[in-house]
């Protein structure tokens, strides 16, 4: 039995570990990519906390409320039914999984205390921590894990709620704190999937009154106004006990209004602020910025004419100037991409694809002519109206496509409609979206598999499917990375979409609000945050 004394690196030979004891806990390291910092601020804490709870060179205040400006409404409070990243970011504080995502794409133990993998890589045995309680006071046991994973995998007789768990053949719970999961086939990405929420058994009101075992409890959600969380006084992880008493997510789709609200002291934090917004703020605020492992792209529906022709998709790629988009829309704060993988996924990232289609309008026209569209064609770009970043990108792209003879019109729709029409039902021609980072390359590139339920690109390629299938079960780290790199190259050659950039994530906060950390997934860990004395 091997004993692991440091954080586990994901995606590396996890199936070869026959037995692993997890000894780590939540990292306490500080964010390393602060680009602006000032301890001085004119804003004040709403709840006027007064107790000093620790002294590490700065006086940390007990309690307080963090009011966060969110540009979007939650799409569903049930962690298994939500598809929106912003919703997951908010509700991640309510739920805990067997593991959680660490700052360095690592797995950090949460509900699980240890796990074992059988020699054939098919059977995972998880041992749970004891003494964990849900927010309703119920003990968390293996029965809850069974209930949660049975819903996700479809072992409850219903349709699987997540393709990540559809490969589960059986789940056994030999005692209250042991869970044995057998897979139908080896899956090198399975371990990373276990950051998903564990919910209490037989509780079916998650969409209205969500209950988890995380550091914060759900209080209320008022559509169009706010979603409120409060500190879980009985949180099981005493090394990760929240300091902040309450978190209020304020629904503020107007980015400029959010900046003004931070200046006036009506809110305390903006998770995604533009460079212009930072300039507008001025001094006295903490600003943290860095790559976020996101892929902003123009998705093309590969199943509709004329986008079902690879030459047309390649022509669109040649017509678009990504550098201009990064400079005008992201004000230079983004990393140019060539496929659906960010350099943040260092081990799996295929370099060199970002310039595969160097902007060449003449080449674009030539390809359109070969495809039978010498005079171009009309193209509808459907964008979620609440994401100004994507709306602005669509406008720049529409101007660029004109030069190649493609007449693009922009159709703005509500976020909920976008999720239903575009993401769930692929009723669109082109759209602009940012696909958020995942911990495992299978989760990133598996979106393009022919059989993937949410393959809204409608991309289908037998060679790509073969590479993804092989990568899914390959336990050799180097071989697995090579397979996913080949898959990225194929996506680029086939011009499955226009892969634009990984835009920096920039967070602005009051100067005395500290402890924010960046993760390879969009995650706001308020249990790590606190106020200092001003």
């Amino acid at each position: 039995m091997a004993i692991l004394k440091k954080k586990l690196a994901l995606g590396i030979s996890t199936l070869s570990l026959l037995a692993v004891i997890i000894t780590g806990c939540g990292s306490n390291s500080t964010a390393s990519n602060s680009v602006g910092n000032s301890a001085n601020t004119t804003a004040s804490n709403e709840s006027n906390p007064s107790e000093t709870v620790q002294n590490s060179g700065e006086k940390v205040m007990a309690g307080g409320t963090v009011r966060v400006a969110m540009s979007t409404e939650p799409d569903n409070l049930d962690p298994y039914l939500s598809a929106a990243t912003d919703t997951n970011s908010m509700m991640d504080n309510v739920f805990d999984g067997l593991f959680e995502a660490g700052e360095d794409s690592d797995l950090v133990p949460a509900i699980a205390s240890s796990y074992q993998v059988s020699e054939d890589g098919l059977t995972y045995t998880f041992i749970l921590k004891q003494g964990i309680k849900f927010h309703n006071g119920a003990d968390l046991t293996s029965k809850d894990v069974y209930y949660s994973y049975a819903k996700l995998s479809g072992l409850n007789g219903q349709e699987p709620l997540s393709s990540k768990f559809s490969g589960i053949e059986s789940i056994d719970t030999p005692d209250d704190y042991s869970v044995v999961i057998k897979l139908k086939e080896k899956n090198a990405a399975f371990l990373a999937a276990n950051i998903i929420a564990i919910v209490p058994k037989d509780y079916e009101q998650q969409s209205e009154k969500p209950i988890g075992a995380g550091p914060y409890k759900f209080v209320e959600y008022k559509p169009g106004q706010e979603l409120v969380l409060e500190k879980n006084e009985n949180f099981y992880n005493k090394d990760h006990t929240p300091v902040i008493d309450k978190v209020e997510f304020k629904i503020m789709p107007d980015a400029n209004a959010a900046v003004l609200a931070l200046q006036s002291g009506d809110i305390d934090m903006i998770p995604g602020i533009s460079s212009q917004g930072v300039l507008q703020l001025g001094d006295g605020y903490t600003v943290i910025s860095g790559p976020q492992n996101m892929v902003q792209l123009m998705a093309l529906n590969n199943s509709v004419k004329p986008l079902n022709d690879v030459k047309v998709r390649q022509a669109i790629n040649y017509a678009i100037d990504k550098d201009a988009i990064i400079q005008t829309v992201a004000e230079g704060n983004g990393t140019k991409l060539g496929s659906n993988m960010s350099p943040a996924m260092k081990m799996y990232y295929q370099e060199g694809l970002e310039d595969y289609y160097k902007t060449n309008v003449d080449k674009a026209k030539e390809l359109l002519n070969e495809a039978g569209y010498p005079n171009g064609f009309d193209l509808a770009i459907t964008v979620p109206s609440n994401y100004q970043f994507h709306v602005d990108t669509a406008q720049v792209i529409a101007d660029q496509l004109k030069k190649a003879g493609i007449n693009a019109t922009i159709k703005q729709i509500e976020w909920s409609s976008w999720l239903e029409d575009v993401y769930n039902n692929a009723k669109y021609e082109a759209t602009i979206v940012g696909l958020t980072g995942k911990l495992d390359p299978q989760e990133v590139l598996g979106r393009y598999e022919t059989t993937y339920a949410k393959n809204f690109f409608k991309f289908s390629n037998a060679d790509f499917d073969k590479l993804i299938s092989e990568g899914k079960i390959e336990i050799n780290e180097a071989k697995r990375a090579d397979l996913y790199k080949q898959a990225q190259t194929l996506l680029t050659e086939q011009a499955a979409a226009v892969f634009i950039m990984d835009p920096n994530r920039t967070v602005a906060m009051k100067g005395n609000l500290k402890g924010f950390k960046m993760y390879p997934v969009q995650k706001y860990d308020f249990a790590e945050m606190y106020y200092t004395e001003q």
Side-chain angles (χ1 to χ4, degrees), residues 436-450:
T436 50
K438 304 293 182 183
L439 291 179
D440 191 274
Q442 181 67 30
E443 295 184 69
V444 176
L445 298 178
R447 291 166 166 145
Y448 294 86
E449 271 192 294
T450 301

Side-chain angles (χ1 to χ4, degrees), residues 169-189:
E169 180 175 291
S170 64
I171 307 171
D172 292 319
T173 54
D175 58 53
D176 282 349
Y177 298 100
S178 300
V179 180
V180 181
I181 296 176
K182 185 173 183 181
L183 305 182
K184 297 171 185 173
E185 59 182 14
K186 285 195 292 187
N187 182 356

Side-chain angles (χ1 to χ4, degrees), residues 403-476:
K403 298 175 184 175
I406 299 172
N407 179 35
T409 57
I410 300 172
K411 179 183 176 185
Q412 295 191 44
I413 62 175
E414 296 291 328
W415 175 234
S416 59
S417 298
W418 187 93
L419 286 171
E420 180 67 17
D421 295 346
V422 178
Y423 187 70
N424 290 331
N425 295 310
K427 293 180 178 177
Y428 76 108
E429 293 179 357
T431 188
I432 310 295
V433 66
L435 297 180
T436 50
K438 304 293 182 183
L439 291 179
D440 191 274
Q442 181 67 30
E443 295 184 69
V444 176
L445 298 178
R447 291 166 166 145
Y448 294 86
E449 271 192 294
T450 301
T451 56
Y452 183 59
K454 296 293 177 63
N455 176 2
F456 68 101
F457 305 90
K458 295 300 178 184
F459 178 74
S460 179
N461 183 284
D463 292 335
F464 180 86
D465 291 346
K466 184 173 183 292
L467 289 167
I468 293 298
S469 296
E470 291 175 356
K472 190 175 181 179
I473 61 173
E474 178 57 64
I475 61 175
N476 180 283

Side-chain angles (χ1 to χ4, degrees), residues 3-8 20-26 109 113-114:
I3 299 178
L4 195 66
K5 294 184 178 178
K6 58 183 180 180
K7 292 182 286 187
L8 300 172
V20 178
I21 301 296
I22 304 170
T23 60
C25 60
S113 63
S114 67

